[in-house]
Amino acid sequence: EDEQIVAEIMGRRFFPDHIAYKTWEGFHFAGHEIRITEATDCYGAVVWPSALVLCYFLETNSKQCNLVDKNVIEIGAGTGLVSIVASLLGAFVTATDLPELLGNLQYNILQNTKQKCKHQPCVKELSWGIDLEKNFPRSSCHFDYIMAADVVYHHPFLDELLLTFDHLCRNDTVILWAMKFRLENENRFVDRFQTLFDLQMISNFPSLNIALYKAMRKGRMKA
C-alpha cells in the first residue's frame, strides 16, 4: 500500500518536454497544472518530497479538511507548492519564508494562482523566532491551519522553529506537518514538539521515510 500511494504521489510530478530559459518542474494538484521555478543554490528553493505528500493529503482529503475560506499560513514555504495548492483549494493563504527566498516564492505563487483562486495568497517574510509579535500580533492574527513541509532538518534554528509554532498556534488552530526523518538530533524535535502539542500521525510512508502529522495545542485534539 505504501508503494502504491507513493507512486501516485510522485506521479503528480512532471518535467518540461523542452528546455526553457528558466528551470521548472510541473505538478498536477487540485485540478491544475502547477509550474514551479526552482533554484539549486539553497534548500528552500527546491521542491522536497514532503511537500508533495502534504499536497496530496490536502487534495484527497478536501472534504474532511475543507480549506474554503480558511485562513492558512505556511512556514518555510520555499518554492510555494503547498501554499499554491491550499490557495487553489479555496484558502486564504499567507506564504512565509526567509527574505532571500521571497522573490522566487512570490513569482511561483503569482504565476500559478492569479485569476485561479477565490483568495489571492500573500507572501510575507518570516524568520523563525524573530519579531513574531511585531509581524504576527496575537491580537489580530488568527490562523485556522499552520502548514509545514520539511522544516526540520540539519539547521541550528530548531528552538526558534518551536517558538514560531507556539506563537502562531491558537487553541483551535490545526497544524499539518510533513516531516522526513533524518538524524537523531532532528528527530528529537518531535519529542520537544509534543511538550506543547498533541500529535497524531495521519499518514506514514516508510519508503520515503516521511510521516504526515496533525497537531493541536495540548488538550484540544478531538478524538
Side-chain angles (χ1 to χ4, degrees):
E1 183 180 359
D2 168 57
E3 293 180 358
Q4 182 178 350
I5 297 176
V6 167
E8 165 66 16
I9 294 172
M10 295 305 157
R12 301 300 185 92
R13 186 197 304 254
F14 69 93
F15 298 93
D17 295 327
H18 305 285
I19 297 175
Y21 74 99
K22 282 192 174 183
T23 302
W24 60 270
E25 286 187 67
F27 303 88
H28 291 290
F29 286 109
H32 290 270
E33 179 182 291
I34 301 168
R35 294 189 178 190
I36 296 293
T37 300
E38 298 183 325
T40 57
D41 56 350
C42 56
Y43 287 123
V46 176
V47 177
W48 299 101
S50 293
L52 273 67
V53 167
L54 182 47
C55 289
Y56 181 82
F57 172 82
L58 295 177
E59 180 189 84
T60 56
N61 292 270
S62 58
K63 290 184 178 179
Q64 304 95 310
C65 180
N66 186 355
L67 295 183
V68 176
D69 297 331
K70 296 298 193 299
N71 202 14
V72 171
I73 186 169
E74 184 186 5
I75 61 175
T79 60
L81 180 61
V82 172
S83 288
I84 291 165
V85 172
S87 298
L88 293 171
L89 291 170
F92 181 82
V93 176
T94 302
T96 70
D97 215 311
L98 296 170
E100 59 266 28
L101 296 172
L102 297 187
N104 189 59
L105 176 59
Q106 179 71 67
Y107 174 83
N108 283 328
I109 285 181
L110 188 62
Q111 293 298 308
N112 289 285
T113 63
K114 190 175 182 180
Q115 298 181 338
K116 297 178 183 179
C117 297
K118 185 175 183 180
H119 309 287
Q120 186 61 36
C122 68
V123 172
K124 191 169 180 178
E125 177 185 342
L126 173 53
S127 299
W128 297 337
I130 298 175
D131 292 332
L132 294 175
E133 181 58 29
K134 175 183 175 182
N135 296 325
F136 300 90
R138 287 180 177 272
S139 60
S140 58
C141 290
H142 181 281
F143 298 104
D144 300 297
Y145 289 92
I146 299 170
M147 296 186 185
D150 231 356
V151 293
V152 178
Y153 53 91
H154 184 59
H155 62 72
F157 304 109
L158 293 178
D159 290 341
E160 291 82 356
L161 175 59
L162 186 59
L163 183 64
T164 301
F165 274 122
D166 184 41
H167 179 83
L168 296 174
C169 190
R170 302 293 177 269
N171 284 340
D172 58 349
T173 301
V174 175
I175 298 170
L176 294 174
W177 167 30
M179 175 177 174
K180 181 177 179 67
F181 287 86
R182 293 181 174 91
L183 303 174
E184 184 60 32
N185 182 47
E186 294 142 28
N187 297 347
R188 284 199 296 269
F189 179 84
V190 176
D191 297 328
R192 297 177 55 208
F193 185 87
Q194 289 183 94
T195 64
L196 299 175
F197 304 99
D198 288 323
L199 194 63
Q200 174 189 354
M201 184 185 291
I202 52 179
S203 296
N204 186 31
F205 302 101
S207 62
L208 296 174
N209 214 21
I210 291 173
L212 178 61
Y213 294 105
K214 172 184 176 181
M216 294 185 76
R217 283 207 173 276
K218 277 199 166 294
R220 306 297 299 188
M221 186 83 80
K222 296 179 180 179

